[in-house]
C-alpha cells in the first residue's frame, strides 16, 4: 500500500487509481454512459435551438406567398409649384432611382426583383357622348405589367420612335367597355393645368390577373374604372415601359415593389432584411426632406417575420423544457452511478484515510479521473449529437421542414463540454466531504431533512403550476421562464412524492410473504422491502418513465390542440373568399360543381354595436352569419362544454321559409312592368329583384328604369353572365325605386299621390305550399323615417304567363325628390324584429350581456337589433375577441326590412368536400376565389417548418429517457448483485437450488422495475394531465382556443412502457444469471463483519 | 456418544489444488479421515492449512481433484450439482466464521430458511423456529435483524438455522473465530450439547485449544496433510 500519509509518491496513488479503474470498469462505464447521454441530449437540444431554428425559419419564410413578402414603397410626388422642395425631390426620375435603390438595398440578402409602376395624374377625356358626363383617364408606366395581365386583343404598347406624337396604350377590358374603345381607336387626353395634350392609340386590351397582389399598386386595383373627385375615371392606360417620365405628363404616384427570393437567404439575411425594412421609412424621409415626396412603406414581410420569430420563441421554450428535463434525468443517472461507485470505494477510501492520506491528496486523482471522463464524454457526445441531429433530419416530415445535417458549431462544443464537465465534478465533491458517513444520530435528521426537501419541492411545483395556469407566454424570440421551469418542477416533485408510494407497495408484498410456505417469493419480497437504496435506486426509473410518458402525452395533447385551433381559426372545412370573377348567383353552383359539396354563403364582417367602441385588443366586434340549420355540417371547432353547434344555435333560424315565386330557368328574368300614379304624375320605376338560390344566397339584380305611364313595359333583368345559374331561384323581395320624370318643366308637383304598379315575372310559378298562402300578401319593408311611402300594399298572384306582383303605395312626391331612400321594398316574409344571436363571452363581458339582452347595431349603414340567446367562448373563424353569430336568412330578412338590399356574402363555406385539397386547387384554378383549407392550416400548425424542432426534441427526450433508464438500471442491478455475491453463495451453501436463487433475484428486481415503471407511468400521466393542456399554446404563445384537452396516446405509451420493461428484462436477466454463476464457495470466505 | 462402528463420513485420499504451474496451491494432499456417527471431530490447523477446503469438499461446496468422500451411503464426490444442493439441504448444515446470516432477514426468518426449502406448513414452520430459537436462548430476539444482534447472538442464530433441517452432519468452520473467548466457549458448548442431545455428527475447524478440548477427537492438518488420523 503506498505511503500516502508521509506524502509519499503520488505515483503510487495513481497506480492504485488505475488498477482500481480496471476492476471497476463496469461502474465507470455507467458513469461515462450517463455523461455521454446527458451531454448528447444537451448538445442535440442546442442544435435544435440554434441551427434547426435558423434552417426552419428560412424554409417557413421561403414558402410564404409572393404577395406576403413583397415590399412596396408608395410615393406621392409633391406639387412642384406649391412645395418648396428641391428639384430632385420633385423629379420623378430621380425619386424613382432613389427609392428603387433603397428598396433593392433593403432586400439585398434575398436577390430581390424590383419593379416600378408610375401612374400619371388623372387626364381629362372628352365628355361621355351618351350622358355628357365628364370623364378622365390615367396613364401607367409599369415595367412588369405583362406578367400580371392577359391580353384579350391586340398587343402590348411599344415606345414611340422618331417624332411620332401618338403614344401607344393598352387598357383593361372594363375600361375599354366603359369608354367603348377597341384596338385601333385613338383618343386625346389633356392635362388641364399643364396645357399638355396627349394623343394615344389603343393597341391592346387586357384583363388583369385575378387575385394578383400586384394590382394593389393600381389606383383602382385593376378594376378598370372608378371615380376620382366624383368624376368617372378609367384606367390604367398602360404605356410602353420607361416612357412616362420623359413624356412630360405629370406623375401622381410612384410604386416601387421589391420581391425578395427568401429561399436564397439565410436566417441572418432575413434578420438584416427585417431591420432594413424597419428603417426604410425614416431613411427615405431623411433623404427627401419635409417638403419632399410623401412616402409610405407597405410590406407584410415584417409582420410575417415577427410572427415566425414569436412562434420560434414558443418553440425555443419547448426545447428548453426538454433540455432541462433531460438534464435532470442525466444528473439523476449520474448521481446513481456515482453513488454506486463511491459505495464500492468506501472501504478503500476509509483505509487510505486511516493510513493518513489527506483528503485533498485523494481529491487529486478523483479530479483527474473526473477530468478524463469529462474529456472522453465531451469527445463522444459531439459526434453523437451531430449524428442524432442527422438522423432527425432524415425523418420525412422533419426533412421537409428544412432540417439538414451540419458540422460542429461553437454552441454545440460549448454545451457538450460544459454538459460533460459540470456533472463530472460529482466524482470529486464526495471525496472532499469530511467523515465516513453520518453517525446514527444524524441519520434521523437526514430523513427529516429529506422530507423537508420533498415538501419544498412540492411547494415550488405547486407555485410553478399556478403560475403556468394564469400565464401568457412571453412574446418575442426569447425563452419564457415559466413555460420552461414549470413542467420539470411538476414532474420532479410528483416523482419524489410517488416514491413514497413504493414502500407501501413493497410492504404489501412482505405481508404476503409472511404467510407463504415457499422461499423464493418470500426472499424477493423481503429484499425488495428491506434493502437500503431500493427506493432511491428506483427513482431514476420512475423519473425516466414519467418524463418519457409525459412527453408523449403532452405531444399528443399539443397535436390535438393544434388541430382544434385550426378548426377554430378557419371555422369550416374549406373557406372560399370570392375573387369577384364569378357573378354572385353563379358562385354557389360553381363551388358545388368544383368541390362536390353544397357550399353555404357566409357573412363575416365588422359591425358597430350601439355606441360601443370596442377596446378589445382583438379589434372591432365581428359578425358571423350563416345557415344555422346546417350548423353541425358547416361549423368546425370544439366547444369546451361538449355541446354541439346545432344545440347552441337552436332558435336562431326562422321558423318558416320565405315565400315568393320561383323564377324560370336561365340567366335572365323577363318582366312586364305596368304602373301609374293616380293623378297622372309622370314617374319612372327601376325594378330591383332580390333573388335567392338553393344555397340561400340573396343577390339584388337591377333592371333598367321604366316609365309608370299606365302602359306595359317589357324589361329584361340579367341575372349574371359567364356561368350558368342554378335553376331553383326564388324571388324573395323586390324594390321599385321611384323617380319623378322630368317631363313637366312648368308644372307643380302634387304633395302626394297614390301609385300602383304591377310587375309580372314571365315564366315564374308559385309553390303549392307557398308560405304566403292563398292571399299571397307580401310585407312592406319598414320606412326609413323619411315618410316617403305609406299605406303600402303588395300581393302576388299566379297568371297564365307567370306571377304578378302588385303593389300600391301613397307616395309623398315632395319628399321623394329629396330622399336618398326612394325605393318601395316588398318582402316575401314577415318583418323581423330582433335578430337572435349567439355572442362570445368576450362580447358578453364587455357589454354586460346575458340571455335576453338586446343591443342595437349598424351593419353597412343599416340599423338592426340583436337579442342574445346564448354565449360561447368563441365562434368558428373568430377564435378571439367580441363576435356574434346569427342566422344568415334571419339577418338578411332584418336588413331587407330596413331597405338594406346589399349582398351579405363575404365568403363561402364548403363542408366536407370528398377531396379537400383537390377542391381547393380546382377553386383556385377556376379563379372563383381564394381557397383556405382547414386541413392545410392544421398541417401547418402541427407539422409546419417552425414546429419541426419541437417535434424532434420530443423524440430525443423519449429516446434519452429510455437509454438513461436502462443504463441506470443496468448499473444499479450490476452493483447490487456484485455486492450480494456473498449472500448468494450463502444461499447456495444452505441448499437453495441455483434456479431458486435466480428466481428470487429476478422476482425482486422485476417487482422493483415493474413498480417503478408503473409508478412512473402514473406520475407521467398526472403531470401531463396537469401541465399538458397549459403547454399547448397558440403559435403566438397565447392560451389555446378552444382550451386543450388532455390526451393519453395508448399505442405510443404502451410501446414506450413495453420497451422499458423488455429492456429492463434484457438487462437484468443476464446480469442475474452471471452473478449467480460467479457466486462460488470462495465468496463464503468473504463475510462482512457486523 | 454414538458407538456406531461404520464411519458416517469417510474421506479417502482427497486431493485439491488451486491454480496451476508454479503458482499452484496444494490445499489438500491425499487426506484420508473417518468421522464416526455422533462424534465431534476437531479439525485443527493454522490459517492456510487446508481446513476450509477440506470442510467444503466434505460438505459438497467444492469438488476434489481426486479421492472420494462418502456421507452415510451417499458418494458425495459422485453427485451432480443438483445432488450436491440436495445434500446441503437435507443432510449437511454449515456454520461459518462470519455467521453466514442473510442480512435483510430477521433471526426467525433466517432460521426458517431451511424449513421453507422443505415447504413446511406455515404453522409447523413457525413452531419449529420458535423451539430452535428457544433452544439457543434467543426466544426474545426473533424479530431482530443480524445488525441488531451481537456476534455471539448471530452465531447462535446460525446454529439454530443449521439445526432447523435436522442434518446428519454439522460442519462448522471456525465458528468462534470472530467471538470473544467467553462467547466462543458458550457457542462451542452449545454445539457440544446439541451433538450429544441430537445424536448429530459434527466436524469443527478450529485452532483454539479450549474448543479442541471439548471435542471427542482432534486431527491436525498441516500443509494439506493430516498428521493424526
Amino acid at each position: 500500500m503506498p505511503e500516502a500519509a508521509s506524502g509519499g509518491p503520488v505515483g503510487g496513488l495513481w497506480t492504485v487509481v488505475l488498477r482500481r479503474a480496471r476492476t471497476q470498469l463496469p461502474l465507470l462505464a455507467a458513469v461515462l454512459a450517463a455523461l455521454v447521454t446527458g451531454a448528447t441530449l444537451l448538445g442535440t437540444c442546442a442544435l435544435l435551438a440554434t441551427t434547426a431554428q435558423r434552417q426552419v425559419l428560412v424554409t417557413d419564410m421561403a414558402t410564404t406567398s409572393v404577395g406576403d413578402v413583397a415590399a412596396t414603397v408608395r410615393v406621392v410626388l409633391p406639387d412642384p409649384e406649391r412645395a418648396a422642395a428641391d428639384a430632385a425631390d420633385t423629379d420623378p426620375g430621380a425619386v424613382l432611382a432613389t427609392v428603387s435603390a433603397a428598396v433593392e438595398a433593403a432586400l439585398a440578402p434575398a436577390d430581390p426583383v424590383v419593379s416600378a409602376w408610375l401612374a400619371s395624374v388623372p387626364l381629362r377625356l372628352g365628355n361621355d357622348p351618351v350622358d355628357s358626363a365628364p370623364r378622365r383617364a390615367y396613364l401607367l408606366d409599369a415595367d412588369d405589367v405583362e406578367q400580371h395581365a392577359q391580353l384579350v386583343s391586340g398587343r402590348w404598347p411599344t415606345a414611340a420612335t422618331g417624332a411620332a406624337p401618338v403614344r401607344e396604350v393598352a387598357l383593361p377590358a372594363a375600361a375599354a367597355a366603359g369608354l367603348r374603345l377597341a384596338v385601333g381607336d385613338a383618343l386625346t387626353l389633356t392635362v388641364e393645368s399643364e396645357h399638355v395634350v396627349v394623343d394615344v392609340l389603343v393597341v391592346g386590351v387586357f384583363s388583369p390577373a385575378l387575385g394578383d397582389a400586384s394590382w394593389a399598386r393600381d389606383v383602382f386595383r385593376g378594376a378598370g374604372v372608378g371615380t376620382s373627385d366624383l368624376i368617372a375615371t378609367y384606367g390604367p392606360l398602360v404605356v410602353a415601359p420607361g416612357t412616362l417620365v420623359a413624356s412630360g405628363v405629370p406623375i401622381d404616384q410612384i410604386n416601387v415593389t421589391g420581391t425578395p427570393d427568401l429561399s436564397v437567404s439565410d436566417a441572418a439575411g432575413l434578420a438584416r432584411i427585417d431591420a432594413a425594412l424597419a428603417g426604410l421609412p425614416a431613411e427615405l424621409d431623411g433623404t427627401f426632406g419635409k417638403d419632399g415626396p410623401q412616402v409610405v412603406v407597405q410590406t407584410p414581410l415584417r409582420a410575417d417575420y415577427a410572427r415566425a420569430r414569436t412562434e420560434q420563441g414558443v418553440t425555443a421554450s419547448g426545447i428548453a423544457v426538454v433540455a432541462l428535463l433531460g438534464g435532470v434525468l442525466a444528473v439523476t443517472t449520474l448521481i446513481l452511478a456515482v453513488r454506486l461507485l463511491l459505495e464500492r470505494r468506501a472501504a478503500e477510501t476509509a483505509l487510505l484515510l486511516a493510513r493518513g492520506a489527506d483528503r485533498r491528496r485523494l481529491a487529486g486523482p478523483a479530479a483527474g479521473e473526473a477530468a478524463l471522463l469529462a474529456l472522453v464524454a465531451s469527445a463522444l457526445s459531439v459526434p453523437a449529437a451531430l449524428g442524432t441531429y442527422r438522423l432527425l433530419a432524415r425523418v420525412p416530415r422533419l426533412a421537409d421542414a428544412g432540417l439538414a445535417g451540419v458540422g460542429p458549431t461553437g454552441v454545440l462544443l460549448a454545451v457538450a463540454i460544459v454538459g460533460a464537465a459540470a456533472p463530472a465534478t460529482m466524482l470529486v465533491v464526495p471525496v472532499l466531504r469530511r467523515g465516513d458517513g453520518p453517525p446514527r444520530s444524524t441519520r434521523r435528521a437526514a430523513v427529516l431533512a429529506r422530507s423537508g426537501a420533498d415538501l419544498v419541492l412540492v411547494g415550488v411545483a405547486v407555485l410553478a403550476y399556478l403560475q403556468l395556469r394564469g400565464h401568457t407566454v412571453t412574446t418575442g424570440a426569447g425563452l419564457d421562464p415559466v413555460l420552461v421551469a414549470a413542467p420539470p418542477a411538476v414532474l420532479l416533485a410528483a416523482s419524489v412524492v410517488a416514491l413514497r408510494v413504493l414502500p407501501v407497495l413493497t410492504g404489501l408484498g412482505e405481508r404476503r410473504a409472511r404467510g407463504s410456505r415457499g422461499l423464493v417469493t418470500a426472499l424477493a419480497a423481503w429484499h425488495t422491502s428491506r434493502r437500503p437504496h431500493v427506493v432511491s435506486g428506483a427513482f431514476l426509473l420512475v423519473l425516466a418513465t414519467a418524463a418519457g410518458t409525459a412527453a408523449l402525452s403532452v405531444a399528443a395533447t399539443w397535436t390535438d390542440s393544434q388541430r382544434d385551433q385550426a378548426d377554430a381559426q378557419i371555422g369550416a372545412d374549406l373557406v372560399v373568399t370570392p375573387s369577384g370573377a364569378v357573378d354572385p348567383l353563379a358562385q354557389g353552383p360553381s363551388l358545388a360543381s368544383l368541390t362536390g359539396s353544397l357550399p353555404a354563403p357566409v357573412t363575416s364582417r365588422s359591425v358597430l354595436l350601439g355606441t360601443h367602441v370596442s377596446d378589445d385588443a382583438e379589434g372591432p366586434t365581428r359578425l358571423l352569419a350563416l345557415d344555422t340549420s346546417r350548423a353541425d355540417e358547416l361549423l368546425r371547432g370544439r366547444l369546451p362544454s361538449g355541446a354541439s353547434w346545432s344545440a347552441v344555435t337552436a332558435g336562431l333560424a326562422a321558423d318558416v321559409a320565405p315565400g315568393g315565386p320561383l323564377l324560370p330557368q336561365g340567366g335572365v328574368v323577363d318582366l312586364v312592368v305596368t304602373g301609374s300614379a293616380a293623378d297622372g304624375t309622370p314617374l319612372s320605376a327601376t325594378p330591383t329583384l332580390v333573388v335567392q338560390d338553393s344555397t340561400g344566397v340573396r343577390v339584388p339584380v337591377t333592371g333598367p328604369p321604366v316609365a309608370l305611364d299606365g302602359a306595359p313595359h317589357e324589361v329584361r333583368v340579367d341575372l349574371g353572365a359567364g356561368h350558368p345559374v342554378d335553376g331553383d331561384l326564388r324571388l324573395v323581395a323586390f324594390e321599385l325605386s321611384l323617380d319623378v320624370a322630368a317631363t313637366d318643366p312648368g308644372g307643380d308637383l302634387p304633395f302626394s299621390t297614390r301609385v300602383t304598379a304591377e310587375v309580372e315575372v314571365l315564366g315564374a310559378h308559385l309553390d303549392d305550399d307557398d308560405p304566403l298562402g292563398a292571399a299571397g300578401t307580401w310585407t312592406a319593408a319598414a320606412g326609413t323615417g323619411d315618410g316617403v311611402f305609406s299605406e303600402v300594399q303588395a300581393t302576388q298572384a299566379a297568371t297564365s304567363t307567370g306571377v304578378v306582383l302588385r303593389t300600391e303605395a301613397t307616395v309623398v312626391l315632395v319628399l321623394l325628390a329629396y330622399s336618398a331612400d326612394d325605393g318601395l321594398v316588398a318582402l316575401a316574409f314577415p318583418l323581423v324584429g330582433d335578430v337572435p344571436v349567439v355572442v362570445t363571452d368576450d362580447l358578453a363581458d364587455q357589454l354586460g350581456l346575458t340571455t335576453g339582452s338586446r343591443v342595437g347595431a349598424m351593419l353597412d349603414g343599416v340599423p338592426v337589433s340583436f337579442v342574445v340567446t346564448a354565449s360561447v367562448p368563441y365562434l368558428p373563424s373568430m377564435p378571439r375577441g367580441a363576435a356574434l353569430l346569427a342566422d344568415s336568412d334571419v339577418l338578411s330578412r332584418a336588413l331587407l326590412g330596413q331597405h338594406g338590399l346589399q349582398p351579405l356574402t363575404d365568403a363561402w363555406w364548403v363542408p366536407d368536400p370528398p377531396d379537400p385539397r383537390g377542391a381547393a386547387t380546382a377553386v383556385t384554378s377556376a379563379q372563383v376565389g381564394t381557397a383556405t383549407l382547414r386541413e392545410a392550416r392544421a398541417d401547418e400548425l402541427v407539422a409546419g417548418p417552425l414546429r419541426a424542432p419541437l417535434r424532434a426534441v420530443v423524440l430525443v427526450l423519449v429516446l434519452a429517457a429510455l437509454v438513461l433508464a436502462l443504463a441506470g438500471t443496468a448499473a444499479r442491478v450490476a452493483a447490487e448483485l456484485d455486492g450480494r455475491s456473498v449472500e448468494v453463495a450463502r444461499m447456495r451453501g444452505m441448499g437453495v437450488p441455483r434456479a431458486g436463487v435466480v428466481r428470487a433475484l429476478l422476482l425482486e428486481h422485476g417487482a422493483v422495475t415493474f413498480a417503478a415503471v408503473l409508478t412512473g407511468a402514473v406520475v407521467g400521466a398526472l403531470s401531463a394531465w396537469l401541465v399538458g393542456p397549459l403547454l399547448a399554446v397558440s403559435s403566438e404563445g397565447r392560451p389555446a382556443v378552444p382550451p386543450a384537452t388532455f390526451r393519453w396516446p395508448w399505442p405510443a405509451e404502451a410501446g414506450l412502457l413495453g420497451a422499458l420493461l423488455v429492456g429492463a428484462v434484457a438487462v437484468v436477466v443476464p446480469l442475474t444469471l452471471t452473478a449467480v454463476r460467479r457466486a462460488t464457495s470462495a465468496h463464503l470466505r468473504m463475510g462482512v463483519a457486523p | 456418544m454414538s458407538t456406531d462402528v461404520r464411519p458416517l463420513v469417510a474421506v479417502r485420499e482427497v486431493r485439491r489444488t488451486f491454480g496451476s504451474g508454479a503458482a499452484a496451491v496444494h490445499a489438500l494432499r491425499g487426506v484420508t479421515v473417518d468421522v464416526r456417527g455422533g462424534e465431534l471431530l476437531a479439525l485443527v490447523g493454522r490459517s492456510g492449512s487446508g481446513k476450509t477446503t477440506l470442510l467444503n469438499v466434505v460438505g459438497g461446496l467444492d469438488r476434489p481433484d481426486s479421492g472420494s468422500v462418502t456421507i452415510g451411503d451417499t458418494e458425495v464426490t459422485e453427485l451432480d450439482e443438483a445432488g450436491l444442493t440436495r445434500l446441503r439441504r437435507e443432510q449437511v448444515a454449515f456454520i461459518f466464521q462470519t455467521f453466514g446470516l442473510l442480512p435483510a432477514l430477521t433471526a426467525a426468518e433466517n432460521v426458517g430458511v431451511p424449513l421453507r426449502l422443505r415447504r413446511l406448513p406455515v404453522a409447523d414452520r413457525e413452531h419449529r423456529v420458535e423451539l430452535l430459537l428457544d433452544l439457543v436462548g434467543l426466544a426474545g430476539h426473533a424479530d431482530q435483524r443480524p445488525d441488531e444482534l451481537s456476534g455471539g447472538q448471530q452465531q447462535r442464530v446460525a446454529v439454530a438455522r443449521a439445526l432447523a433441517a435436522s442434518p446428519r452432519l454439522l460442519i462448522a468452520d471456525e465458528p468462534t473465530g470472530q467471538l470473544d473467548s467467553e462467547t466462543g466457549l458458550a457457542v462451542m458448548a452449545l454445539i457440544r450439547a446439541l451433538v450429544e442431545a441430537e445424536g448429530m455428527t459434527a466436524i469443527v475447524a478450529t485452532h483454539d485449544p479450549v474448543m479442541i478440548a471439548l471435542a471427542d477427537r482432534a486431527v491436525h492438518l498441516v500443509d494439506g496433510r493430516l498428521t493424526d488420523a
Side-chain angles (χ1 to χ4, degrees), chain A residues 513-519 522 526-527 530 983 986-994 1081 1084-1085 1087 1090, chain B residues 53 61 81 85 88-89 96 98 100-106 109 113 116-117 119-120 122 125 145 154 161:
Chain A
R514 197 169 299 145
S516 68
R517 288 170 64 166
L519 179 64
W526 286 327
H527 285 113
R530 297 174 188 177
E983 198 175 312
R986 286 172 185 171
M987 285 194 280
R988 296 285 289 123
M990 280 189 276
V992 180
R994 184 192 301 275
S1081 57
L1084 293 172
R1085 298 172 191 260
Chain B
T53 306
L61 283 177
E81 181 70 35
T85 301
R88 293 194 299 273
R89 188 166 64 240
F96 301 100
T98 55
L101 299 180
L102 300 179
L105 278 57
T106 63
E109 289 162 355
V113 169
R116 283 181 177 268
L117 282 172
R119 299 193 68 83
L120 237 63
V122 174
R125 182 185 74 226
R145 291 198 208 165
Q154 288 187 56
R161 185 180 69 186

Side-chain angles (χ1 to χ4, degrees), chain A residues 53-115:
Chain A
Q53 291 272 62
R54 287 193 290 270
Q55 290 174 339
V56 301
L57 178 63
V58 172
T59 304
D60 181 72
M61 295 300 292
T63 55
T64 310
S65 64
V66 168
D68 287 338
V69 301
T72 298
V73 177
R74 187 186 299 270
V75 183
V76 177
L77 293 174
D79 185 339
E81 289 184 358
R82 289 192 293 141
D86 291 340
D89 289 352
T90 59
D91 172 28
V95 170
L96 174 62
T98 301
V99 173
S100 297
V103 170
E104 185 156 8
L107 300 175
D111 288 347
V113 172
V114 180
S115 79

Side-chain angles (χ1 to χ4, degrees), chain A residues 420-481:
Chain A
T425 57
M426 281 195 283
L427 283 165
V428 182
V429 170
V431 176
L432 293 171
R433 204 173 54 214
R434 290 193 175 278
D436 295 328
R440 197 179 281 272
S441 62
T442 62
R443 283 179 199 160
R444 193 172 301 120
V447 170
L448 285 174
R450 197 166 52 244
S451 299
D454 290 356
L455 284 175
V456 168
L457 192 56
V458 169
V460 168
V462 168
L463 275 174
Y465 170 71
L466 291 174
Q467 281 277 317
L468 190 62
R469 277 188 66 172
H471 184 66
T472 296
V473 174
T474 309
T475 55
L479 292 180
D480 184 290

Side-chain angles (χ1 to χ4, degrees), chain A residues 672-883:
Chain A
V672 177
V673 181
T674 311
S676 63
D679 59 2
T681 302
L683 298 170
S684 68
T686 303
T688 298
L689 308 179
V690 178
V691 177
Q692 174 184 308
D693 75 357
S694 57
T695 66
V697 74
R698 290 178 184 155
V699 177
V701 282
T702 302
V706 297
L708 293 183
D709 54 8
H713 296 273
E714 291 182 358
V715 174
R716 170 158 285 189
V717 179
D718 192 349
L719 296 181
H723 296 274
V725 297
D726 187 69
D728 292 335
L729 292 177
R730 183 184 297 274
L731 179 65
V732 297
F734 70 88
E735 180 191 56
L736 284 179
S737 182
L738 301 183
D739 201 7
V740 178
T743 58
D744 187 3
D748 291 328
L749 283 177
F751 178 77
S752 67
T753 186
R754 188 77 180 161
V755 175
T756 304
E758 283 187 2
V759 176
E760 184 176 8
V761 184
L762 299 178
H765 66 278
L766 296 175
D767 272 338
D768 292 335
D769 53 356
D770 191 308
L772 297 183
T777 304
W778 283 47
T779 307
T784 60
D786 288 352
V788 177
F789 300 99
S790 62
E791 300 171 325
V792 179
Q793 293 174 356
T795 58
Q796 67 179 18
T799 67
S800 59
T801 52
V803 174
V804 65
L805 305 170
R806 190 171 290 114
T807 60
E808 283 185 43
T810 299
V811 182
V812 179
L813 296 173
V814 172
L815 294 178
L816 182 65
Y818 297 101
S819 173
D821 185 4
D822 55 5
L824 170 66
V825 177
L827 313 170
F829 44 79
L831 284 177
V832 170
D834 298 320
V835 176
V837 290
V838 173
V839 300
T840 60
D841 292 339
D842 261 355
L843 180 60
D845 290 342
Q846 282 182 31
L847 298 183
L849 300 175
T850 58
T851 301
S853 296
R854 285 181 167 74
V855 58
M858 290 294 283
L859 184 60
D860 293 341
V862 179
V864 64
S865 173
F866 295 125
V867 61
V868 177
T869 62
S871 73
V872 290
Y874 73 97
L875 292 177
S877 78
M878 301 171 182
R880 299 183 200 274

Side-chain angles (χ1 to χ4, degrees), chain A residues 35 48 119 164 285 295 333 394 399 509 706 862 1006 1048 1078:
Chain A
L35 286 173
L48 287 171
D285 284 343
V295 172
T333 308
R394 285 199 190 142
V706 297
V862 179
W1048 183 257
R1078 285 182 183 166

Side-chain angles (χ1 to χ4, degrees), chain A residues 558-575 624 626 631-639 645 874-880 909-910 912 932-942 1040-1043 1045:
Chain A
W558 179 87
T559 300
D560 280 1
S561 177
Q562 301 309 304
R563 294 197 183 281
D564 283 346
Q565 289 179 56
D567 288 354
Q569 288 173 18
I570 308 302
D573 293 324
L574 172 62
V575 173
L624 177 68
L626 44 83
D632 280 343
E633 185 189 351
L634 288 171
L635 298 176
R636 296 289 173 258
R638 176 177 54 81
L639 281 168
W645 285 108
Y874 73 97
L875 292 177
S877 78
M878 301 171 182
R880 299 183 200 274
W909 286 13
V910 183
D912 200 21
T932 305
L933 262 182
R934 176 180 61 86
E935 196 177 284
R937 179 61 179 151
D939 281 353
E940 183 188 339
L941 290 179
V942 172
V1041 177
T1045 54

